Amino acid sequence: MLDSNKCILILGCFDTKSEDFLFLRNCIVAQGEKVITMNTGVMGTTKDFPVDIESDLVALEEGYSIAALREANDRGQAVDIMGKGAAKLAAKLVAQNKIKAAIGMGGGGGTYIALSAMQEIPLGIPKLCLSTLAAKDLSRQMGSKDITLMPSIVDVAGLNSISRLLIRRAAAAICAMSEITEEKEDTIAGTIAISMFGNTSACVNQCSELLRKQGYEVLAFHANGVGGKTMESLIREGCFDAVLDVTTTELADDLCGGICSAGPDRLNAAADMGIPQVVVPGCLDMVNFAQPDTLPAQYQSRELYNWAPDVTLMRTNKEENKILGERLAQKINRSPAPVTVVLPAKGISQVDAEGGIFYRPEINRVLFDAIKENTKATIAVIEADAHINDREFSAMLVSALLSVMKKRQE
């Protein structure tokens, strides 16, 4: 049973969309829910319903007065400031254990602000945005959060037969979602995050099977940029007991401008949170691009492989592998928790196997040596006479992971 004192956070621009938000609020309250209302509108407020957090407080979170934002008359700046301020206030409400769900709605500015605020609301607390932009690519604004987007069909600009229907449904949805509780299994030994790619799926599947037999819950994340960011975000939210980072390919995309970059913070969260990890340079033999004609000019003459019609892989070279090895080592060196690196000497991806299109042991050697030379003495670096997808390599990874987890408990 959820805490009956928790509220549903309603956030939006009450200055221009008061009628719509009054209707939304009434729909939620009619279902027996309590609400907290946050006004993110710059030009004014409403008297149609009680406003718990006014826009001046939202702006102050970022060090601005609402009067200064009005005087500047810079819409872009105002949307940015109100989004950041709303995010900070949402984080405070979460820390105070006051909210059970959040809902926002609006056009371009309202959607941006609502999604910004929702970035500070952790996994498991329902988040819904009724938006005119729901059919567009909002991946940047959505980030790695479990946000539900709902198309508004018509603009959020006064009530009509369509908007009433959809607002009622949005209200019903957020109320229903807020009542769903998480069912935890008491028998789980712990929760493990694991990174994977098509090129390492055999390894990951084998590791997951072995860990589940040991009683662990295993959550796999596709190392396609968004997947890596999501894994890092959930690590910071305390969702995992350990990380088995089999597929660190996103580092290569970040270095070379590939489409699967998870940004410069990839591989930082486990170290920052002090949880044990086993790290593999999986798929650092490749950088991911889209169709062949999308490759940057400087890479057109490189060694390429068409993995799918919309996926072009570029083989990393010695210079890149040296940098990647150094970066990987620098990131894990920061960890206060036990870390083990395992290097598969017979290949680091499906296509980097003897006879494979990317099989270049001499290039991998540069990567391995850079990792060995730059990791601190307390980190074990094991070189295995196996390919990354070999069953014996998976067994070695699971054994190493259980070992670092045991050390963490000692």
Side-chain angles (χ1 to χ4, degrees):
M1 193 70 180
L2 292 178
D3 186 346
S4 59
N5 292 319
K6 288 187 178 181
C7 304
I8 293 177
L9 173 64
I10 301 175
L11 48 93
C13 301
F14 302 160
D15 53 351
T16 58
K17 304 184 186 303
S18 174
E19 182 183 11
D20 306 86
F21 278 99
L22 171 62
F23 189 72
L24 173 65
R25 180 186 181 279
N26 289 345
C27 288
I28 293 174
V29 171
Q31 297 198 41
E33 298 291 352
K34 298 176 182 178
V35 299
I36 294 175
T37 53
M38 183 190 300
N39 180 21
T40 59
V42 172
M43 302 312 295
T45 186
T46 181
K47 294 182 179 179
D48 294 338
F49 54 86
V51 178
D52 299 298
I53 302 172
E54 270 295 4
S55 57
D56 56 342
L57 296 179
V58 179
L60 281 173
E61 285 293 319
E62 278 296 293
Y64 286 79
S65 71
I66 202 71
L69 288 181
R70 291 172 185 165
E71 186 177 349
N73 196 30
D74 185 333
R75 185 180 185 277
Q77 180 196 37
V79 169
D80 180 52
I81 295 302
M82 298 306 280
K84 291 176 179 176
K88 289 181 178 178
L89 287 171
K92 289 181 179 180
L93 292 172
V94 170
Q96 294 164 3
N97 205 29
K98 288 186 175 180
I99 62 171
K100 62 194 294 190
I103 184 169
M105 59 183 182
T111 296
Y112 182 92
I113 294 169
L115 296 182
S116 295
M118 291 174 185
Q119 295 304 309
E120 294 302 320
I121 301 176
L123 174 74
I125 297 179
K127 299 168 275 288
L128 186 149
C129 185
L130 182 69
S131 172
T132 61
L133 304 181
K136 289 184 172 290
D137 179 9
L138 297 178
S139 55
R140 277 194 173 188
Q141 295 92 318
M142 293 276 286
S144 58
K145 293 297 180 178
D146 54 332
I147 300 170
T148 301
L149 279 176
M150 183 175 175
S152 65
I153 306 302
V154 295
D155 204 349
V156 183
L159 296 175
N160 53 60
S161 58
I162 293 177
S163 65
R164 285 192 185 93
L165 174 63
L166 294 179
I167 291 173
R168 282 196 196 99
R169 289 178 175 172
I174 199 65
C175 289
M177 286 192 283
S178 72
E179 292 301 316
I180 301 298
T181 57
E182 182 184 1
E183 296 182 4
K184 292 188 177 181
E185 297 183 34
D186 296 333
T187 57
I188 289 178
T191 303
I192 310 298
I194 188 168
S195 56
M196 72 176 294
F197 228 30
N199 266 282
T200 58
S201 59
C203 174
V204 171
N205 290 339
Q206 289 156 186
C207 289
S208 298
E209 180 184 355
L210 291 170
L211 286 166
R212 290 187 183 111
K213 286 181 179 179
Q214 294 280 340
Y216 290 94
E217 179 185 38
V218 182
L219 278 67
F221 295 87
H222 196 175
N224 59 0
V226 174
K229 287 180 180 179
T230 302
M231 186 175 79
E232 297 281 316
S233 174
L234 294 181
I235 290 170
R236 293 188 185 280
E237 289 184 20
C239 294
F240 304 111
D241 298 291
V243 179
L244 180 48
D245 215 340
V246 173
T247 315
T248 49
T249 186
E250 289 156 316
L251 298 181
D253 281 60
D254 184 54
L255 175 65
C256 298
I259 60 173
C260 289
S261 170
D265 292 332
R266 178 70 171 91
L267 223 70
N268 287 351
D272 291 343
M273 297 300 292
I275 65 172
Q277 56 183 323
V278 170
V279 180
V280 183
C283 293
L284 284 181
D285 58 323
M286 61 184 66
V287 179
N288 295 264
F289 294 101
Q291 293 83 355
D293 61 357
T294 67
L295 261 74
Q298 69 267 31
Y299 296 141
Q300 293 286 346
S301 62
R302 292 282 294 273
E303 187 174 5
L304 307 172
Y305 178 63
N306 189 223
W307 176 258
D310 59 345
V311 179
T312 304
L313 305 181
M314 180 183 78
R315 189 26 163 125
T316 51
N317 59 28
K318 289 183 178 180
E319 292 74 20
E320 291 155 353
N321 271 235
K322 184 176 186 298
I323 296 170
L324 289 169
E326 292 170 351
R327 287 189 180 181
L328 187 150
Q330 289 164 2
K331 287 172 177 291
I332 61 177
N333 282 346
R334 299 166 50 247
S335 179
V339 182
T340 294
V341 180
V342 188
L343 310 174
K346 291 185 177 179
I348 57 179
S349 78
Q350 178 180 315
V351 293
D352 177 35
E354 189 170 0
I357 189 72
F358 278 0
Y359 185 60
R360 301 290 182 274
E362 70 282 3
I363 298 179
N364 288 355
R365 176 50 50 195
V366 174
L367 173 66
F368 294 171
D369 288 347
I371 292 172
K372 290 178 178 179
E373 291 166 6
N374 289 280
T375 48
K376 62 184 182 182
T378 54
I379 294 177
V381 181
I382 303 168
E383 186 162 343
D385 187 27
H387 183 267
I388 194 168
N389 287 327
D390 287 347
R391 188 167 291 275
E392 59 266 34
F393 186 75
S394 300
M396 183 179 293
L397 292 182
V398 170
S399 176
L401 185 67
L402 296 177
S403 177
V404 294
M405 292 176 72
K406 184 178 179 181
K407 287 181 183 177
R408 184 71 175 88
Q409 296 169 354
E410 293 174 350

